Amino acid sequence: TSRAVADRLVVSVRTVDNVLHGVYAKLGISGRRELASVVGRPEPGSSQDDGP
C-alpha cells in the first residue's frame, strides 16, 4: 500500500502517490497491477502462477 511505502521511506502518502502517478504516466499504464507486470514481479497477494 502507499501507506506502507510511505512509512518505510519516511515520506508522506501523498508523495508516494504523486511519484507513482508520474511513473504510470511515463510508462503508459494505469495502476500497480500493470506496474508489477512491467517490472516482471507479481503484485503481493496476487495468485499469478505464470510468473518468471
Side-chain angles (χ1 to χ4, degrees):
T1 65
S2 292
R3 168 52 59 197
V5 173
D7 289 346
R8 184 160 183 173
L9 298 177
V10 191
V11 297
S12 73
V13 173
R14 180 75 177 191
T15 297
V16 172
D17 290 340
N18 285 338
V19 170
L20 284 172
H21 179 74
V23 170
Y24 299 158
K26 286 183 181 192
L27 295 176
I29 60 177
S30 62
R32 290 177 193 261
R33 192 157 295 188
E34 286 180 277
L35 180 60
S37 70
V38 167
V39 298
R41 300 182 70 184
E43 184 177 8
S46 71
S47 59
Q48 285 185 328
D49 292 329
D50 60 346

